[in-house]
Amino acid sequence: MRAQPDAPRRATDGSKAGKAGPWLHWLVADCKDGSTASCSPPVMPYAGPTPPQGNHRYIFLLFRQSAKGVVGNPHQKRMQWDLRGFLKRNKDRLGPVAMSYFYTQAG
């Protein structure tokens, strides 16, 4: 899973998401051998970063899936993605493994 909390720009000190954030860039599930090439069709297809200006954080979250069939939201959208709701709906299917993030600077 890849998300950007600072869309379209960072809010205040970064402790809150931007007006459009978090922005979901990619979500895959049901991977057979640990590689993204073996996953079922994406829950949310990949959309690369296109920050309009300023600093932006990008967050990668990796979960171990203990049961098939991650529960998405039928009205899921990239903008203002409900990460908490997603984790709550999948609390019996997903366990945290790793997290990483990086910053970008747009002109």
Side-chain angles (χ1 to χ4, degrees):
M1 169 186 322
R2 181 176 172 185
Q4 176 198 9
D6 299 327
R9 66 188 53 80
R10 180 179 253 173
T12 63
D13 63 359
S15 62
K16 295 182 181 179
K19 288 192 294 186
W23 189 278
L24 180 62
H25 283 272
W26 187 43
L27 177 59
V28 293
D30 299 327
C31 302
K32 294 168 187 54
D33 65 7
S35 77
T36 57
S38 70
C39 300
S40 294
V43 178
M44 180 62 76
Y46 180 75
T50 56
Q53 62 186 15
N55 282 338
H56 289 271
R57 295 169 290 176
Y58 289 87
I59 301 169
F60 291 85
L61 302 169
L62 178 64
F63 296 93
R64 178 169 288 116
Q65 200 173 335
S66 59
K68 194 170 171 80
V70 167
V71 179
N73 178 345
H75 305 291
Q76 183 168 321
K77 56 186 178 179
R78 293 183 191 278
M79 184 173 68
Q80 296 178 334
W81 185 59
D82 182 14
L83 174 60
R84 284 192 174 111
F86 172 79
L87 294 174
K88 187 175 180 179
R89 284 189 299 279
N90 291 286
K91 66 181 178 184
D92 297 330
R93 293 180 180 86
L94 299 175
V97 173
M99 188 277 291
S100 183
Y101 71 96
F102 64 92
Y103 286 90
T104 64
Q105 174 70 39

